[in-house]
């Protein structure tokens, strides 16, 4: 099966760096600082002006949990249709019930119009990640993004290995390994977890703001956020990750 390096991006510059670095696919979102939100359609249009790389758009209307209201679900469905019309290759979605189980997502899946779907990291805060993975396959997802129910993929390696074994057993969705991923982590997974072949990362590095005048102590968001650096995908980090994924194991 094909190896996949997916880069999550939330800006034009990050998308350019990811494509130049050798990404196989983009996950497009906004506000990665809060885990990613639904992206602007105009950013998708701008990416399509320079690349036909597959782009899956994250559908997440707000930060916080994955228990969504009817209004939020309806809004996401409408946004999916607009993004689909403007060049989205697929979508990254996920809803949970109050009990932590995978919720039905018929409205979102219908809006996607048959395009490929990734179940996002709601699996990592679900009651039973293995059962959630099984349900995702039954619903028709072709990919599941996961850290193995841990704070990062390395800490969740044991569960990720279980999911990969299950993928092979039932021909289930691809297991897309994410959270704290870089070239070094990719190399370790490839050596230690047979069948690890799909990885998700941002490759971010802080870029110094061009502002010369800087008024301190006036946060635009949560106190403590550094507003004089902009996290942007590093082309070098993507290149290193792509090399780590594609080079033969010896």
């Amino acid at each position: 099966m094909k190896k996949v390096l997916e880069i999550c991006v939330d800006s034009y510059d990050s998308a350019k760096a990811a494509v130049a670095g050798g990404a196989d696919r983009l996950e497009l979102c906004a506000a990665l600082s809060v885990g990613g939100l639904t992206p602007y359609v105009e950013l998708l249009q701008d990416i399509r002006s320079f690349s036909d790389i597959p782009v899956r758009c994250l559908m997440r209307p707000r930060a916080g949990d994955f228990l969504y209201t009817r209004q939020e679900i309806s809004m996401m469905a409408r946004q999916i249709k607009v993004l689909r019309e403007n060049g989205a290759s697929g979508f990254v979605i996920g809803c949970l019930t109050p009990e932590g189980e995978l919720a039905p997502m018929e409205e979102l899946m219908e809006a996607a119009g048959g395009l490929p779907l990734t179940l996002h990291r709601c699996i990592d805060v679900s009651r039973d990640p293995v059962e959630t993975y099984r349900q995702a396959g039954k619903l028709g997802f072709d990919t599941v993004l996961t850290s193995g129910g841990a704070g990062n993929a390395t800490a969740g390696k044991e569960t990720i290995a279980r999911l990969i074994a299950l993928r092979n057993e039932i021909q289930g969705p691809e297991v897309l390994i994410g959270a704290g991923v870089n070239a070094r982590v990719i190399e370790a997974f490839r050596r230690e977890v047979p069948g690890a072949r799909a990885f998700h990362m941002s490759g971010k590095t802080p870029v110094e703001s061009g502002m010369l005048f800087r008024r301190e102590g006036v946060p635009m968001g949560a106190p403590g956020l550094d507003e004089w650096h902009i996290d942007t995908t590093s082309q070098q980090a993507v290149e290193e990750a792509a090399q780590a994924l594609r080079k033969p194991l010896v």
Side-chain angles (χ1 to χ4, degrees):
M1 293 291 291
K2 183 180 178 182
K3 297 173 182 175
V4 176
L5 177 63
E6 179 181 88
I7 307 298
C8 54
V9 301
D10 61 359
S11 71
Y12 182 82
D13 287 345
S14 286
K16 291 277 284 188
V19 171
D24 298 304
R25 185 170 72 211
L26 303 181
E27 180 193 89
L28 183 62
C29 55
L32 274 175
S33 60
V34 295
L37 301 177
T38 301
Y40 303 107
V41 65
E42 292 84 0
L43 179 54
L44 175 60
Q45 291 169 338
D46 286 350
I47 292 170
R48 281 288 169 253
S49 73
F50 72 83
S51 178
D52 61 358
I53 189 172
V55 177
R56 295 196 184 187
C57 293
L58 173 67
M59 307 311 300
R60 189 176 179 222
R62 54 165 173 76
D65 63 36
F66 303 106
L67 178 63
Y68 295 121
T69 66
R70 286 301 315 156
Q71 182 276 329
E72 289 171 326
I73 292 171
S74 175
M75 180 177 68
M76 283 191 285
R78 297 194 305 272
Q79 291 171 321
I80 284 172
K81 292 177 182 178
V82 173
L83 289 163
R84 192 182 74 196
E85 292 166 357
N86 283 273
S89 309
F91 296 93
V92 184
I93 64 175
C95 306
L96 296 177
T97 69
E99 295 75 27
E101 298 173 351
L102 200 60
M105 286 171 271
E106 294 93 341
E107 188 173 353
L108 301 182
M109 301 183 85
E110 181 178 348
L115 291 180
L117 296 171
T118 299
L119 180 70
H120 60 46
R121 290 189 60 210
C122 70
I123 185 176
D124 293 322
V125 292
S126 67
R127 181 180 297 274
D128 183 343
V130 174
E131 180 57 27
T132 299
Y133 175 86
R134 289 183 181 273
Q135 291 302 315
K138 292 177 181 178
L139 287 176
F141 286 88
D142 75 347
T143 302
V144 173
L145 170 62
T146 182
S147 65
N152 59 67
T154 299
K157 188 177 294 183
E158 182 177 342
T159 297
I160 290 171
R162 289 178 62 196
L163 294 176
I164 289 174
L166 182 59
R167 176 200 70 191
N168 296 340
E169 177 187 338
I170 66 174
Q171 298 301 298
E174 183 60 88
V175 178
L176 182 61
I177 302 165
V181 169
N182 54 31
R184 177 184 55 78
V185 171
I186 291 172
E187 289 179 355
F189 263 91
R190 291 189 64 209
R191 292 185 183 282
E192 299 167 18
V193 181
R197 63 193 181 199
F199 295 88
H200 168 101
M201 58 177 275
S202 67
K204 295 289 190 185
T205 189
V207 175
E208 182 81 13
S209 168
M211 289 294 296
L212 299 179
F213 173 75
R214 302 183 181 189
R215 187 181 300 281
E216 302 295 341
V218 186
M220 295 294 108
L225 287 179
D226 178 2
E227 289 160 351
W228 307 119
H229 292 82
I230 300 170
D231 285 342
T232 304
T233 296
S234 160
Q235 180 177 335
Q236 180 179 344
V238 177
E239 290 173 348
E240 290 172 354
Q243 181 181 10
L245 178 59
R246 293 163 188 157
K247 69 181 181 181
L249 288 175
V250 291

